[in-house]
Amino acid sequence: MEIPQIQIHEAKQKFDDKSCVFVDIRDSGSYRQAHIPGAIHLHDGNVQEFLQKTAKSQAMVVYCYHGNSSLGATAFLIENGFTDVASMSGGFEAWRPVYECE
């Protein structure tokens, strides 16, 4: 399966348009320190609730530190029925120097 990926500038356009949800899969400390505004922190403790309560058609961009772990998380979400999900190439470390973070 080819995992959908999205470039930083495309992700920023979706962010500006509010056309998708951003999903942060980094560790809790990193998320608390800084994240894309409004991003959902997805972790072992809330993944089942997320899978049950989130619409499978919800557009989302998944990110991690550098864009590697988010590939696996994106594949996992697709395997669980999500239809509009992509991994952000370069991850948070590529986003941070260009765009504002909380």
Side-chain angles (χ1 to χ4, degrees):
M1 164 177 58
E2 187 167 329
I3 300 166
Q5 295 187 61
I6 187 169
Q7 299 301 313
I8 295 292
H9 66 280
E10 295 170 296
K12 178 63 162 89
Q13 185 64 53
K14 288 181 174 283
F15 176 82
D16 290 343
D17 294 345
K18 297 179 175 41
S19 62
C20 74
V21 169
F22 281 75
V23 177
D24 187 324
I25 63 161
R26 298 172 306 141
D27 68 87
S28 295
S30 296
Y31 177 82
R32 280 192 304 272
Q33 190 174 51
H35 57 272
I36 295 173
I40 295 168
H41 185 221
L42 188 62
H43 51 81
D44 289 343
N46 70 355
V47 70
Q48 289 306 317
E49 180 181 5
F50 182 85
L51 293 175
Q52 292 170 357
K53 293 188 175 182
T54 306
K56 301 298 186 206
S57 61
Q58 171 67 59
M60 60 184 73
V61 172
V62 181
Y63 69 94
C64 59
Y65 295 99
H66 300 286
N68 298 318
S69 298
S70 58
L71 290 169
T74 298
F76 173 79
L77 291 170
I78 291 169
E79 289 166 5
N80 279 276
F82 289 87
T83 58
D84 190 1
V85 57
S87 172
M88 188 169 74
S89 296
F92 187 71
E93 293 305 312
W95 177 283
R96 182 199 299 256
V98 181
Y99 304 114
E100 290 194 29
C101 304
E102 292 183 343

XYZ file of all heavy atoms in Angstrom:
800
model
N 0.840 -1.182 0.000
C 0.000 0.000 0.000
C 0.888 1.250 0.000
O 1.817 1.355 0.792
C -0.894 0.004 1.247
C -1.510 1.350 1.532
S -2.645 1.474 2.928
C -1.688 0.933 4.301
N 0.597 2.157 -0.893
C 1.314 3.427 -0.903
C 0.619 4.366 0.083
O -0.586 4.580 0.012
C 1.317 4.042 -2.298
C 2.198 5.265 -2.366
C 2.485 5.711 -3.779
O 2.535 4.852 -4.681
O 2.648 6.915 -3.970
N 1.395 4.905 1.000
C 0.841 5.759 2.041
C 0.801 7.205 1.539
O 1.827 7.735 1.113
C 1.674 5.644 3.325
C 1.660 4.187 3.811
C 1.147 6.582 4.402
C 2.682 3.879 4.852
N -0.367 7.833 1.587
C -0.479 9.221 1.129
C 0.389 10.152 1.972
O 0.431 10.038 3.195
C -1.962 9.555 1.320
C -2.658 8.245 1.472
C -1.655 7.298 2.039
N 1.071 11.061 1.282
C 1.896 12.058 1.957
C 1.505 13.446 1.454
O 1.022 13.598 0.343
C 3.375 11.812 1.690
C 3.868 10.506 2.287
C 5.367 10.370 2.149
O 6.122 11.177 2.675
N 5.796 9.339 1.439
N 1.736 14.428 2.305
C 1.431 15.808 1.958
C 2.653 16.657 2.307
O 3.296 16.441 3.337
C 0.155 16.291 2.688
C -0.272 17.667 2.191
C 0.316 16.246 4.192
C -1.653 18.077 2.675
N 2.976 17.596 1.448
C 4.106 18.490 1.676
C 3.703 19.592 2.660
O 2.526 19.900 2.824
C 4.588 19.093 0.357
C 5.070 18.054 -0.652
C 6.214 17.213 -0.119
O 7.174 17.728 0.442
N 6.108 15.892 -0.287
N 4.692 20.201 3.290
C 4.445 21.222 4.309
C 3.569 22.359 3.772
O 2.604 22.759 4.417
C 5.789 21.788 4.840
C 6.584 20.711 5.574
C 5.557 22.999 5.736
C 5.995 20.248 6.873
N 3.884 22.888 2.594
C 3.104 24.023 2.083
C 1.656 23.634 1.779
O 0.743 24.434 1.974
C 3.781 24.649 0.856
C 3.815 23.759 -0.342
N 4.745 22.746 -0.495
C 3.030 23.721 -1.436
C 4.520 22.124 -1.639
N 3.482 22.684 -2.228
N 1.436 22.392 1.355
C 0.059 21.920 1.121
C -0.681 21.759 2.452
O -1.870 22.093 2.561
C 0.072 20.583 0.386
C 0.649 20.650 -1.008
C 0.856 19.265 -1.597
O 1.677 18.500 -1.041
O 0.178 18.956 -2.593
N 0.022 21.254 3.449
C -0.570 21.096 4.778
C -0.937 22.470 5.342
O -2.000 22.640 5.947
C 0.397 20.365 5.707
N -0.071 23.451 5.147
C -0.348 24.805 5.639
C -1.590 25.371 4.971
O -2.403 26.045 5.615
C 0.861 25.710 5.399
C 0.667 27.162 5.827
C 0.440 27.317 7.321
C 0.658 28.711 7.826
N -0.481 29.588 7.816
N -1.772 25.097 3.695
C -2.974 25.570 2.995
C -4.222 24.944 3.625
O -5.214 25.627 3.858
C -2.897 25.235 1.503
C -4.047 25.811 0.707
C -4.058 27.331 0.720
O -3.057 27.955 0.404
N -5.176 27.923 1.094
N -4.158 23.663 3.910
C -5.290 22.988 4.562
C -5.523 23.554 5.959
O -6.657 23.711 6.395
C -5.056 21.478 4.633
C -5.187 20.787 3.278
C -4.976 19.297 3.440
C -5.242 18.572 2.152
N -6.664 18.422 1.869
N -4.435 23.877 6.654
C -4.541 24.485 7.974
C -5.247 25.835 7.869
O -6.181 26.129 8.620
C -3.144 24.646 8.584
C -3.132 25.345 9.907
C -3.414 24.656 11.073
C -2.843 26.698 9.984
C -3.403 25.301 12.297
C -2.834 27.351 11.201
C -3.116 26.652 12.362
N -4.800 26.656 6.928
C -5.389 27.986 6.744
C -6.852 27.908 6.330
O -7.666 28.728 6.748
C -4.605 28.776 5.697
C -3.220 29.179 6.188
O -2.967 29.140 7.417
O -2.376 29.516 5.335
N -7.186 26.914 5.518
C -8.568 26.730 5.048
C -9.453 26.058 6.100
O -10.660 25.945 5.901
C -8.602 25.841 3.789
C -7.937 26.496 2.606
O -7.691 27.717 2.645
O -7.651 25.776 1.629
N -8.809 25.561 7.166
C -9.522 24.783 8.193
C -10.276 23.610 7.560
O -11.388 23.275 7.941
C -10.476 25.673 8.994
C -9.757 26.762 9.770
C -10.714 27.642 10.522
C -10.077 28.675 11.404
N -8.959 29.391 10.973
N -9.624 22.999 6.566
C -10.270 21.918 5.815
C -9.891 20.531 6.310
O -10.293 19.536 5.715
C -9.940 22.051 4.324
O -8.548 21.923 4.102
N -9.108 20.473 7.395
C -8.751 19.167 7.935
C -8.355 19.297 9.395
O -8.174 20.395 9.908
C -7.630 18.524 7.123
S -6.021 19.251 7.390
N -8.197 18.151 10.028
C -7.739 18.056 11.410
C -6.274 17.635 11.367
O -5.889 16.787 10.558
C -8.583 16.993 12.161
C -7.980 16.676 13.512
C -10.014 17.444 12.295
N -5.463 18.226 12.225
C -4.072 17.811 12.355
C -3.960 16.878 13.542
O -4.536 17.140 14.601
C -3.155 19.025 12.515
C -2.869 19.718 11.216
C -3.835 20.516 10.614
C -1.661 19.542 10.579
C -3.597 21.126 9.406
C -1.407 20.157 9.361
C -2.375 20.957 8.774
N -3.226 15.786 13.352
C -3.071 14.757 14.376
C -1.583 14.619 14.694
O -0.782 14.279 13.824
C -3.657 13.406 13.893
C -3.428 12.325 14.938
C -5.139 13.548 13.563
N -1.230 14.903 15.934
C 0.153 14.875 16.411
C 0.383 13.555 17.136
O -0.306 13.251 18.107
C 0.351 16.052 17.373
C 1.783 16.241 17.826
O 2.507 15.244 18.021
O 2.171 17.407 18.020
N 1.337 12.757 16.665
C 1.604 11.462 17.301
C 2.905 11.453 18.100
O 3.372 10.403 18.517
C 1.577 10.307 16.277
C 2.694 10.474 15.242
C 0.212 10.206 15.613
C 3.030 9.194 14.505
N 3.479 12.619 18.332
C 4.712 12.681 19.124
C 4.415 12.404 20.594
O 3.270 12.324 21.009
C 5.367 14.059 18.963
C 5.782 14.357 17.517
C 6.255 15.785 17.332
N 5.232 16.711 17.816
C 5.493 17.829 18.485
N 6.729 18.197 18.742
N 4.510 18.618 18.897
N 5.450 12.279 21.392
C 5.269 12.011 22.825
C 4.619 13.210 23.515
O 4.627 14.329 22.999
C 6.604 11.642 23.480
C 7.549 12.830 23.526
O 7.470 13.612 24.497
O 8.350 12.989 22.585
N 4.061 12.959 24.685
C 3.305 13.980 25.418
C 4.131 15.214 25.745
O 3.637 16.345 25.641
C 2.748 13.392 26.719
O 1.812 12.386 26.419
N 5.375 15.016 26.141
C 6.235 16.154 26.480
C 6.470 17.058 25.280
O 6.418 18.290 25.397
N 6.715 16.467 24.139
C 6.937 17.255 22.922
C 5.669 17.996 22.511
O 5.719 19.161 22.121
C 7.400 16.347 21.776
O 8.652 15.787 22.084
N 4.536 17.311 22.644
C 3.267 17.948 22.310
C 3.013 19.144 23.227
O 2.613 20.216 22.770
C 2.122 16.937 22.409
C 0.764 17.546 22.141
C 0.315 17.727 20.839
C -0.069 17.941 23.193
C -0.929 18.296 20.581
C -1.307 18.501 22.940
C -1.735 18.680 21.637
O -2.961 19.247 21.399
N 3.243 18.963 24.542
C 3.036 20.063 25.497
C 3.971 21.229 25.211
O 3.599 22.388 25.363
C 3.225 19.579 26.931
C 2.019 18.858 27.487
C 2.132 18.653 28.993
N 3.342 17.953 29.394
C 3.460 16.625 29.468
N 2.446 15.845 29.154
N 4.589 16.079 29.857
N 5.177 20.917 24.791
C 6.178 21.956 24.538
C 5.785 22.823 23.340
O 5.892 24.040 23.396
C 7.536 21.304 24.307
C 8.685 22.263 24.273
C 10.004 21.526 24.195
O 10.188 20.656 23.353
N 10.919 21.870 25.083
N 5.317 22.208 22.268
C 4.902 22.949 21.068
C 4.197 21.996 20.110
O 4.574 20.830 20.004
C 6.113 23.558 20.368
N 3.158 22.512 19.456
C 2.434 21.723 18.461
C 1.714 22.671 17.504
O 1.615 23.872 17.769
C 1.446 20.755 19.122
C 0.452 21.419 20.018
N 0.707 21.657 21.346
C -0.784 21.900 19.776
C -0.332 22.259 21.890
N -1.261 22.435 20.953
N 1.230 22.130 16.424
C 0.454 22.923 15.478
C -0.848 23.308 16.182
O -1.499 22.450 16.781
C 0.196 22.111 14.194
C 1.532 21.843 13.476
C -0.780 22.849 13.276
C 1.431 20.910 12.294
N -1.225 24.573 16.149
C -2.442 25.006 16.849
C -3.667 24.165 16.481
O -3.937 23.933 15.300
C -2.612 26.461 16.393
C -1.222 26.907 16.055
C -0.554 25.684 15.467
N -4.344 23.685 17.518
C -5.554 22.892 17.316
C -5.326 21.419 17.052
O -6.283 20.657 16.924
N -4.062 21.001 16.975
C -3.766 19.595 16.683
C -4.270 18.689 17.800
O -4.188 19.025 18.982
C -2.269 19.385 16.491
N -4.773 17.534 17.412
C -5.188 16.503 18.353
C -3.966 15.662 18.690
O -3.243 15.218 17.788
C -6.267 15.602 17.722
C -7.527 16.410 17.442
C -6.561 14.396 18.614
C -8.534 15.677 16.567
N -3.728 15.456 19.982
C -2.610 14.603 20.382
C -3.118 13.169 20.463
O -3.907 12.831 21.344
C -2.038 15.053 21.729
C -0.837 14.293 22.129
N -0.615 13.869 23.417
C 0.224 13.860 21.407
C 0.522 13.222 23.473
N 1.054 13.195 22.259
N -2.694 12.346 19.534
C -3.110 10.942 19.483
C -2.011 10.085 20.105
O -0.843 10.158 19.697
C -3.364 10.529 18.032
C -3.987 9.158 17.815
C -5.368 9.078 18.461
C -4.095 8.871 16.319
N -2.396 9.291 21.096
C -1.435 8.447 21.811
C -2.132 7.155 22.231
O -3.343 7.005 22.037
C -0.861 9.199 23.014
C -1.907 9.803 23.896
N -2.589 9.089 24.852
C -2.421 11.064 23.919
C -3.457 9.876 25.462
N -3.386 11.089 24.905
N -1.372 6.252 22.813
C -1.919 4.947 23.198
C -3.152 5.066 24.094
O -4.059 4.248 24.021
C -0.857 4.102 23.904
C 0.227 3.621 22.948
O 0.005 3.655 21.722
O 1.300 3.217 23.436
N -3.183 6.092 24.929
C -4.273 6.238 25.873
C -5.596 6.700 25.279
O -6.636 6.554 25.900
N -5.566 7.288 24.076
C -6.816 7.792 23.494
C -7.107 7.279 22.087
O -8.087 7.671 21.475
C -6.842 9.324 23.509
C -5.855 9.956 22.545
O -5.058 9.282 21.902
N -5.883 11.274 22.463
N -6.271 6.384 21.579
C -6.428 5.941 20.197
C -7.746 5.198 19.971
O -8.400 5.396 18.948
C -5.206 5.125 19.705
C -5.116 3.775 20.381
C -5.233 4.973 18.191
N -8.151 4.365 20.909
C -9.404 3.617 20.719
C -10.611 4.553 20.682
O -11.501 4.393 19.846
C -9.569 2.540 21.800
C -8.605 1.383 21.649
C -8.645 0.726 20.269
O -9.708 0.491 19.710
N -7.484 0.442 19.719
N -10.628 5.524 21.565
C -11.711 6.514 21.571
C -11.708 7.308 20.262
O -12.755 7.572 19.671
C -11.555 7.461 22.756
C -12.640 8.517 22.813
C -12.473 9.470 23.992
O -11.467 9.385 24.731
O -13.359 10.310 24.164
N -10.515 7.684 19.806
C -10.382 8.412 18.545
C -10.962 7.591 17.396
O -11.714 8.107 16.563
C -8.907 8.737 18.291
C -8.661 9.528 17.045
C -8.760 10.908 17.038
C -8.321 8.879 15.856
C -8.525 11.637 15.883
C -8.088 9.599 14.698
C -8.189 10.985 14.710
N -10.608 6.311 17.336
C -11.098 5.444 16.264
C -12.618 5.316 16.301
O -13.268 5.276 15.250
C -10.461 4.052 16.377
C -8.960 3.966 16.116
C -8.454 2.556 16.391
C -8.603 4.412 14.707
N -13.182 5.278 17.475
C -14.625 5.092 17.621
C -15.412 6.372 17.373
O -16.502 6.336 16.805
C -14.956 4.566 19.021
C -14.465 3.166 19.257
C -14.582 2.746 20.722
O -14.982 3.530 21.574
N -14.210 1.509 21.009
N -14.858 7.520 17.761
C -15.639 8.758 17.749
C -15.365 9.687 16.576
O -16.118 10.633 16.363
C -15.418 9.520 19.055
C -15.992 8.785 20.253
C -15.944 9.625 21.483
C -16.646 8.893 22.631
N -16.679 9.681 23.844
N -14.321 9.432 15.822
C -13.976 10.322 14.715
C -14.582 9.789 13.420
O -14.468 8.607 13.122
C -12.443 10.433 14.577
O -11.892 10.822 15.839
C -12.060 11.459 13.526
N -15.196 10.683 12.669
C -15.798 10.298 11.385
C -14.718 9.775 10.450
O -13.664 10.400 10.297
C -16.507 11.495 10.762
N -14.972 8.640 9.834
C -13.986 8.012 8.947
C -13.690 8.872 7.719
O -12.647 8.731 7.098
C -14.471 6.627 8.497
C -14.732 5.659 9.635
C -13.510 5.362 10.449
C -13.795 4.284 11.471
N -12.957 4.321 12.622
N -14.601 9.779 7.384
C -14.391 10.653 6.220
C -13.690 11.958 6.586
O -13.385 12.771 5.712
C -15.732 10.969 5.566
O -16.573 11.643 6.499
N -13.412 12.158 7.884
C -12.753 13.386 8.338
C -11.378 13.514 7.683
O -10.554 12.607 7.778
C -12.588 13.352 9.861
C -11.724 14.466 10.439
C -12.348 15.828 10.289
O -13.438 16.063 10.773
N -11.667 16.707 9.607
N -11.136 14.628 7.009
C -9.818 14.876 6.411
C -8.818 15.141 7.535
O -9.112 15.892 8.470
C -9.883 16.059 5.472
N -7.655 14.494 7.459
C -6.653 14.713 8.492
C -5.238 14.601 7.955
O -4.978 13.889 6.987
C -6.868 13.790 9.687
C -6.805 12.332 9.420
S -7.204 11.339 10.901
C -8.957 11.595 11.007
N -4.365 15.356 8.617
C -2.937 15.331 8.348
C -2.271 14.835 9.621
O -2.472 15.398 10.697
C -2.414 16.730 7.967
C -0.898 16.742 7.877
C -3.033 17.194 6.654
N -1.491 13.776 9.509
C -0.802 13.174 10.641
C 0.656 13.613 10.605
O 1.291 13.590 9.554
C -0.895 11.632 10.578
C -0.185 11.002 11.771
C -2.346 11.176 10.505
N 1.178 14.010 11.776
C 2.597 14.374 11.805
C 3.272 13.841 13.059
O 2.641 13.570 14.077
C 2.795 15.886 11.676
C 2.339 16.723 12.843
C 3.233 17.076 13.848
C 1.038 17.191 12.937
C 2.836 17.864 14.922
C 0.626 17.979 13.998
C 1.537 18.315 14.987
O 1.133 19.101 16.041
N 4.584 13.663 12.919
C 5.442 13.221 14.013
C 6.621 14.186 14.060
O 6.460 15.362 13.764
C 5.879 11.771 13.789
S 6.776 11.533 12.237
N 7.797 13.717 14.407
C 8.970 14.586 14.470
C 9.503 14.932 13.084
O 9.682 16.092 12.749
C 10.098 13.923 15.276
C 9.763 13.727 16.716
C 9.316 12.497 17.174
C 9.887 14.769 17.617
C 9.004 12.310 18.507
C 9.568 14.588 18.954
C 9.122 13.356 19.388
O 8.794 13.178 20.696
N 9.789 13.897 12.280
C 10.453 14.104 10.996
C 9.692 13.520 9.811
O 10.180 13.559 8.689
C 11.855 13.497 11.029
C 12.729 14.089 12.086
N 13.275 15.340 11.985
C 13.127 13.602 13.291
C 13.982 15.608 13.067
N 13.910 14.569 13.882
N 8.526 12.958 10.042
C 7.727 12.414 8.946
C 7.891 10.935 8.710
O 7.429 10.416 7.694
N 8.552 10.228 9.620
C 8.731 8.785 9.454
C 7.668 7.986 10.198
O 6.974 7.164 9.614
C 10.133 8.367 9.906
C 11.211 9.015 9.070
O 11.098 9.103 7.858
N 12.255 9.499 9.706
N 7.526 8.230 11.497
C 6.521 7.505 12.289
C 5.108 7.806 11.828
O 4.214 6.968 11.939
C 6.657 7.859 13.769
O 7.918 7.460 14.257
N 4.900 8.998 11.299
C 3.555 9.369 10.830
C 3.133 8.531 9.626
O 1.940 8.351 9.387
C 3.474 10.857 10.501
O 4.419 11.218 9.525
N 4.086 7.963 8.903
C 3.737 7.059 7.791
C 3.021 5.829 8.337
O 1.989 5.416 7.809
C 4.995 6.651 7.013
C 5.660 7.744 6.191
C 7.025 7.267 5.695
C 4.777 8.164 5.037
N 3.561 5.254 9.408
C 2.938 4.086 10.027
C 1.590 4.421 10.640
O 0.634 3.648 10.534
N 1.499 5.587 11.274
C 0.231 6.005 11.876
C -0.823 6.251 10.801
O -1.986 5.899 10.976
C 0.443 7.259 12.720
N -0.408 6.818 9.686
C -1.335 7.046 8.575
C -1.835 5.714 8.026
O -3.038 5.545 7.798
C -0.649 7.880 7.467
O -0.285 9.156 8.023
C -1.546 8.091 6.276
N -0.925 4.763 7.854
C -1.320 3.431 7.378
C -2.297 2.794 8.367
O -3.296 2.184 7.954
C -0.089 2.550 7.197
N -2.035 2.928 9.657
C -2.914 2.392 10.695
C -4.321 2.992 10.585
O -5.323 2.274 10.659
C -2.310 2.681 12.075
C -3.206 2.330 13.222
C -3.343 1.013 13.642
C -3.915 3.317 13.896
C -4.167 0.693 14.713
C -4.745 3.009 14.960
C -4.873 1.690 15.367
N -4.402 4.303 10.411
C -5.710 4.953 10.301
C -6.448 4.495 9.043
O -7.651 4.240 9.081
C -5.546 6.475 10.328
C -5.100 7.036 11.685
C -4.731 8.505 11.559
C -6.170 6.823 12.740
N -5.727 4.347 7.950
C -6.346 3.857 6.705
C -6.863 2.433 6.919
O -7.984 2.109 6.512
C -5.349 3.940 5.534
C -5.093 5.419 5.182
C -5.869 3.173 4.317
C -3.932 5.640 4.221
N -6.057 1.602 7.559
C -6.475 0.223 7.845
C -7.715 0.176 8.735
O -8.467 -0.787 8.709
C -5.326 -0.549 8.505
C -4.190 -0.857 7.557
C -2.920 -1.302 8.268
O -2.922 -1.478 9.504
O -1.897 -1.455 7.570
N -7.925 1.235 9.506
C -9.080 1.318 10.391
C -10.234 2.101 9.768
O -11.144 2.534 10.481
C -8.678 1.908 11.745
C -8.050 0.864 12.635
O -8.753 0.123 13.309
N -6.730 0.763 12.604
N -10.183 2.277 8.455
C -11.325 2.812 7.734
C -11.323 4.289 7.401
O -12.256 4.779 6.768
N -10.292 5.016 7.807
C -10.239 6.437 7.466
C -9.900 6.594 5.988
O -9.051 5.879 5.461
C -9.239 7.172 8.358
C -9.720 7.299 9.777
C -9.477 6.289 10.695
C -10.462 8.390 10.183
C -9.939 6.372 11.999
C -10.938 8.494 11.483
C -10.679 7.485 12.391
N -10.576 7.520 5.338
C -10.482 7.605 3.880
C -9.745 8.835 3.356
O -9.413 8.882 2.177
C -11.888 7.600 3.263
O -12.634 8.700 3.792
C -12.612 6.290 3.568
N -9.488 9.828 4.207
C -8.856 11.070 3.748
C -7.774 11.471 4.743
O -7.923 12.424 5.500
C -9.914 12.167 3.604
C -9.386 13.414 2.910
O -8.201 13.426 2.515
O -10.154 14.388 2.784
N -6.694 10.720 4.746
C -5.615 10.937 5.710
C -4.278 10.906 4.985
O -4.090 10.143 4.047
C -5.689 9.894 6.857
C -5.626 8.491 6.330
C -4.625 10.124 7.890
N -3.355 11.795 5.409
C -2.031 11.847 4.801
C -0.987 12.143 5.864
O -1.261 12.819 6.861
C -1.978 12.922 3.719
N 0.198 11.636 5.641
C 1.341 11.888 6.509
C 2.048 13.159 6.032
O 2.269 13.337 4.834
C 2.304 10.699 6.421
O 3.508 10.985 7.093
N 2.394 14.042 6.969
C 3.065 15.287 6.605
C 4.566 15.055 6.445
O 5.261 14.726 7.418
C 2.799 16.365 7.658
C 3.299 17.731 7.257
S 2.693 19.046 8.344
C 3.693 18.778 9.807
N 5.057 15.210 5.238
C 6.481 15.025 4.947
C 7.314 16.032 5.734
O 6.983 17.203 5.791
C 6.739 15.216 3.450
O 6.079 14.233 2.710
N 8.365 15.530 6.345
C 9.251 16.404 7.112
C 8.825 16.583 8.556
O 9.619 17.015 9.383
N 7.574 16.286 8.865
C 7.082 16.340 10.230
C 7.123 17.721 10.867
O 7.277 18.743 10.202
N 6.987 17.710 12.185
C 6.927 18.955 12.946
C 8.216 19.757 12.821
O 8.190 20.988 12.824
C 6.631 18.652 14.417
C 6.385 19.886 15.233
C 5.225 20.628 15.061
C 7.297 20.300 16.183
C 4.987 21.772 15.808
C 7.062 21.434 16.952
C 5.904 22.168 16.759
N 9.339 19.070 12.697
C 10.619 19.780 12.600
C 10.726 20.581 11.309
O 11.422 21.598 11.266
C 11.791 18.811 12.749
C 11.883 18.207 14.143
C 11.947 19.248 15.262
O 12.745 20.203 15.164
O 11.182 19.117 16.239
N 10.021 20.168 10.264
C 9.995 20.948 9.024
C 8.978 22.090 9.136
O 9.161 23.154 8.556
C 9.651 20.049 7.836
N 7.902 21.854 9.876
C 6.843 22.871 10.049
C 7.325 24.013 10.961
O 7.132 25.181 10.665
C 5.615 22.209 10.647
C 4.466 23.120 10.950
C 4.353 23.977 12.009
C 3.261 23.274 10.199
N 3.157 24.632 11.966
C 2.467 24.224 10.866
C 2.777 22.672 9.019
C 1.211 24.606 10.403
C 1.520 23.044 8.569
C 0.754 24.001 9.245
N 7.938 23.656 12.072
C 8.266 24.610 13.129
C 9.025 25.858 12.658
O 8.657 26.967 13.032
C 9.054 23.915 14.243
C 9.370 24.855 15.401
C 10.497 24.354 16.281
N 10.256 23.105 16.923
C 9.946 22.961 18.208
N 9.816 24.013 18.977
N 9.770 21.779 18.729
N 10.088 25.750 11.865
C 10.822 26.963 11.513
C 10.065 27.875 10.530
O 10.413 29.036 10.376
C 12.114 26.450 10.873
C 11.869 25.048 10.527
C 10.740 24.549 11.377
N 9.021 27.363 9.907
C 8.315 28.117 8.881
C 7.016 28.720 9.391
O 6.659 29.846 9.051
C 8.044 27.210 7.664
C 7.327 27.966 6.565
C 9.327 26.591 7.144
N 6.280 27.967 10.220
C 4.947 28.377 10.651
C 4.853 28.419 12.171
O 5.598 27.750 12.874
C 3.886 27.412 10.105
C 3.957 27.293 8.602
C 4.311 26.110 7.988
C 3.689 28.389 7.784
C 4.377 25.997 6.605
C 3.753 28.290 6.408
C 4.098 27.091 5.817
O 4.175 26.998 4.462
N 3.908 29.204 12.661
C 3.745 29.374 14.101
C 3.234 28.100 14.770
O 2.508 27.330 14.186
C 2.791 30.525 14.391
C 3.385 31.853 14.041
C 2.592 33.004 14.625
O 1.958 32.837 15.683
O 2.603 34.059 13.996
N 3.605 27.946 16.017
C 3.200 26.788 16.811
C 2.753 27.283 18.171
O 3.090 28.377 18.587
C 4.359 25.809 16.980
S 5.033 25.274 15.409
N 1.980 26.463 18.851
C 1.539 26.799 20.217
C 2.555 26.303 21.217
O 3.164 25.278 21.026
C 0.188 26.132 20.522
C -0.926 26.709 19.706
C -2.273 26.089 20.062
O -2.341 25.022 20.692
O -3.266 26.707 19.694
